[in-house]
Each structure stands twice: as C-alpha cells, then as structure tokens.
Amino acid sequence: MGGRLINPVSSLADAKLTPDADSEVLQISGGHQLHGHVRISGAKNSALVIMAGALLCGDDCRIRNVPLLADVEKMGQVLSSLGVQIERHGETLDINAKDFCSSKAPYELVTQLRASFFAIGPILARLGVAQMPLPGGCAIGARPVDLHVRGLQAMGAEVQIEHGICNAFVPGSSRRLKGAKIYLDMPSVGATETLMMAAVLAEGETIIENAAREPEVVDLANFCISMGAKIQGAGSSTITINGVTQLHGTDYTIIPDRIETGTFMIAAAITRSELLLSPVAPDHLIPVIAKLQEVGVSIIEEAADCLRVLPAEHLRATNIDTLPHPGFPTDMQAPFMSLLTLAEGDSIINETVFENRLRHASELNRLGADIRVKGNTAFVKGVSHLSGAPVLGTDLRAAAALVVAGLAASGTTTIQGLRSLDRGYDRLDLKLQQLGAKVKRVSEIINSPDVGSNGVVSPESVITS
Ligand code: UD1
C-alpha cells in the first residue's frame, strides 16, 4: 500500500468528532422547510462487518465509500489492536491483514461496539483461535451471542465462556473449521455474518438456514466473493458457502446506507419539504417507502440511484410491526415514530426485534407528542404540532428520531446524547445545515439559548462551541 500509515481512529476523530460528544448538544430551531440534495454515505452496518471481513485475507483490501463515523473509528482500533495495518484516504480504507497475529480483542472496545464481536468468525478462520470479550447488553436490549457461538461449535470450534471472555479454538493439526449445516433460531444479522465469514475458509460446505436477508449481509457476501470466496444464496434464507483455502485482495465499494436514506426521507416528510437523495438503493427501502406512501408522502424514482421525496398535504396514521428484512427495519422504527406523532389519527407501532427499543417515546412526549407505551407496543395519537424542549437521545436511532422531530417542532429543541448520534450518522448536522435546517452543535449551554433565524446561537449564551 502506497499511502500514509495512520492511526485510522484518531484521524477519523480529528476529521469529524468535535471536542467531546458527551458535553455537546445539538440545538435545532424547528419549523423550517428543507430543500436541496442530500448525498447519502456508505452503509454503517456494511462498513463495520466488511472491515472485519478484511481479516480473512493477507493481501491488500481497498474498501470505498466508508462513512465517517465513531463506530468505524472503533472498528479500526479493534483491527489495529490485532496487528492489522489500516490507512485512510478520505472515504477509502486500505486494510492489510498480512501481519495479523493477535487473536485477542480488547475488552474496552468490544463492549462499546457490538459489531466488533462479529470478528470472532474471521479471526477463528485465519488463526484457529480467538478470544473475544462478550459484548454485553446495550440500550436497546440484552443482545446475546448464543447463535454465533452455537454456529461456530457446529463448525468444530471448542468454545468456553469464562470471566466474560468467549475463548474459541479449533482442535486438530490443521486448525481449520469444518463445514456444517446450521439452522439459526432467528435470522440474526450478526450471527449470519459471523458464520458466513467463518465458513469462507472452512473445509467443505456450510449451509446456513434461516439466514438473515438484510442488504448488508449481501454486501458482506459480495465483498467476500470479490476476494475469491464461494458463496451462494446471500439475500435468501439459505446461504451455501464452499470453503476455500485462501482469499486474495480486492477493491470493493460499500452500498449506500438505507437507514440514513430513510432518516432523510422522514426529515423531508416531517418538515413538509421536497428533497432529492442519492446515491440510494431503492430496492433496500421497499418497506420504508411503502409506509411513507401509506401516510401520504410521494416518492419518485428520478434515476436508478436517486429518489425525490414530495411532501404530503395531510399525514395519515398507520401501523408498523418491525421485522427482519424484508420487513420494516427496527432501525427505522424510532424516526418513523416521530413522523407519526404529527399524523392525523391513531397509529400503533409494534417493536418485535429488540425488547427495549421504545425509550424515545417518552422523549417525544416531552416535545408534545401523545404516545402511550405498553410492553413493546407504542400507541401514537397524532397531535397538531410539536414544541421544542431539551431531550436526550438514549441510543443511536432514538437520537435520530429526536433530530427529525426537532426539525418540525416550534422553538428550540436541545438534544443531548450526541455520542450515540455520531456512532451511526455521517455528519448529520452538517448535511442538515446544507439543506437549510437551523441546526447547531454547541459544547456547553446556559439556560437553553435560542438559535437565531440564521441558525447561529448567540455567543453570550455559549461557553464554547
Ligand atoms: C444488526 C444491526 C443493527 C440492527 C439489527 C437488526 C449491525 C452492526 N447492527 O444488529 O443495526 O438493528 O441487526 O436488524 O449490523 N439474537 C439472539 N442471539 C444471538 C444473536 C441475536 O437472541 O446470538 C437476537 C437479538 O437479541 C435480537 C434479534 O436476535 O432480538 C436480532 O438481532 P441481530 O439481527 O443479531 O442484530 P445485530 O446483528 O446485533
């Protein structure tokens, strides 16, 4: 690789994450229309797992369209800690895992970034041994890894969980995993990805039944295929992998982020604005587009990778059940709830994927929404308007939901919890500013200062910005 060797983590941080996302808030002066064109970044969930997938080969891997995110930084740190070289040039990452030798990922990182646990698959496939701290639960639920572990055991790995560490090794002189028939109790995205990566270098054929069908699983499969892996059926419920002994380097471009796309569609719908979005993959957004149309929003396919969102005259209520792909994505549930707070009539949202993913409802109520939560169901009664207030984003998509609600609310909405937002949205505040939103990131505030009509917070009300 010819580029400058960098610590990808701090460099990404320098480029994006202003002083300390914990002490910062986002101030939104709502009620303004948006206009223009949004450039959609590469998919976070593809980028993270494809970075882990680069461990599968010892040649140069170039990954393009990598979003600028805190989670990508952390995954870079995990790879560096394993002895992998990473260089970043803008949105391109060059990864070389030739000298990758450590099988032990650091506890502090894995517990902050669930996707880094998925690296257990390629680590085990390359080295025959892996020690991964258990990622633990998070703000949206317990999030176990039993399906990952059971699948690896079916492929011949011996796995012991002790002192919070998942210790896995492959017995035998070849230290090579063996192909197996694996049935997943539920179509877990992460388990499908872990096992697919493990199977790529295993001996013989692996069949994953009830596999996740998410576009990011297909993206990972295509990345592995571009390195010489033999994978069939990704995107369906049955994935067949024929193990090979070695993979070669590649140059691969990540798909557009469907959740970022959906979030901007909702930002357009909730502010009654027209927006153009590209590059996008409309096929990945079928359930989200269908629900937007159901509430009255028009979506026009301007080109194969470009969508135009036209506002509804009246927003209508609808019901949503989150489901594995191709059902309605759980990652869009929170932002869509924001939209439904302003729809005429009663909506019901049923979260079926994660057990604790409705915490944004009470924050939306602080903005004047009328939402009642019972178990994993939210009953949303449409209101005529929202009004700004200080709120807290408890997880990544909850924070995004509050941002879109703040765009529609009258007065100033002050959002805490930007660390969550920065994990998964590539410069969201800057992109919104470019669309005309009055959004400002500030370090510390006194008495919730007002954002002026030009989007600038008055200097006397801000200690640092
Ligand atoms: C991925 C996405 C996340 C998205 C989720 C569902 C990444 C980095 N994250 O998370 O943004 O919200 O898919 O689309 O890609 N489960 C088990 N045992 C396991 C694994 C999962 O019981 O071993 C359960 C989970 O608790 C959850 C359900 O399966 O209830 C789905 O989770 P899963 O698809 O695995 O989500 P992640 O891969 O963690």
Side-chain angles (χ1 to χ4, degrees), residues 45 114 143-148 186 188-190 331 353-354:
N45 289 348
R114 181 180 169 80
R143 305 188 81 177
V145 289
D146 55 314
L147 300 175
H148 305 239
M186 59 182 87
S188 156
V189 174
D331 286 349
V353 179
F354 290 109

Side-chain angles (χ1 to χ4, degrees), residues 55-140:
L55 292 172
L56 287 166
C57 98
D59 294 340
D60 292 340
C61 290
R62 175 160 286 182
I63 308 171
R64 298 178 195 265
N65 202 26
V66 179
L68 205 56
L69 301 173
D71 272 8
V72 168
E73 279 173 42
K74 290 203 182 107
M75 187 55 109
Q77 284 178 338
V78 172
L79 298 187
S80 298
S81 75
L82 298 172
V84 174
Q85 281 184 35
I86 304 187
E87 293 171 12
R88 181 174 65 83
H89 316 265
E91 291 177 348
T92 299
L93 284 183
D94 285 330
I95 302 184
N96 187 299
K98 179 162 61 80
D99 300 324
F100 144 58
C101 54
S102 171
S103 58
K104 194 172 178 178
Y107 169 81
E108 315 72 54
L109 290 171
V110 178
T111 48
Q112 286 178 54
L113 177 64
R114 181 180 169 80
S116 58
F117 184 83
F118 307 172
I120 193 171
I123 295 175
L124 204 53
R126 271 288 296 282
L127 303 181
V129 56
Q131 291 145 283
M132 287 302 258
L134 292 172
C138 72
I140 60 175

Side-chain angles (χ1 to χ4, degrees), residues 191-270:
T192 303
E193 293 171 341
T194 296
L195 300 174
M196 188 162 72
M197 290 188 282
V200 152
L201 292 177
E203 191 184 326
E205 183 182 78
T206 299
I207 300 176
I208 306 174
E209 297 280 11
N210 199 26
R213 292 182 279 167
E214 269 68 1
E216 295 77 19
V217 171
V218 179
D219 211 21
L220 173 66
N222 287 336
F223 169 73
C224 292
I225 290 167
S226 76
M227 295 194 293
K230 294 198 163 38
I231 303 174
Q232 283 181 324
S236 77
S237 297
T238 305
I239 303 180
T240 305
I241 304 119
N242 278 289
V244 296
T245 51
Q246 217 178 346
L247 297 176
H248 54 74
T250 185
D251 185 332
Y252 190 80
T253 302
I254 286 173
I255 57 171
D257 195 305
R258 64 195 165 104
I259 307 301
E260 187 195 17
T261 311
T263 304
F264 275 105
M265 285 171 153
I266 288 170
I270 203 167

Side-chain angles (χ1 to χ4, degrees), residues 27-34 263 265-273 315 335 337-343 364 367-369 383-389 400-413 415 432 436-439:
Q27 290 197 326
I28 304 177
S29 170
H32 303 281
Q33 278 195 318
L34 309 178
T263 304
M265 285 171 153
I266 288 170
I270 203 167
T271 56
R272 313 293 166 108
S273 310
L315 287 168
M337 187 184 293
S338 296
L339 182 62
L340 293 179
T341 64
L342 290 171
L364 288 171
L367 300 177
V383 295
S384 60
H385 73 284
L386 299 175
S387 62
L402 295 171
V403 171
V404 293
L407 293 172
S410 61
T412 303
T413 298
I415 301 168
L432 285 170
K438 312 287 185 243
V439 177

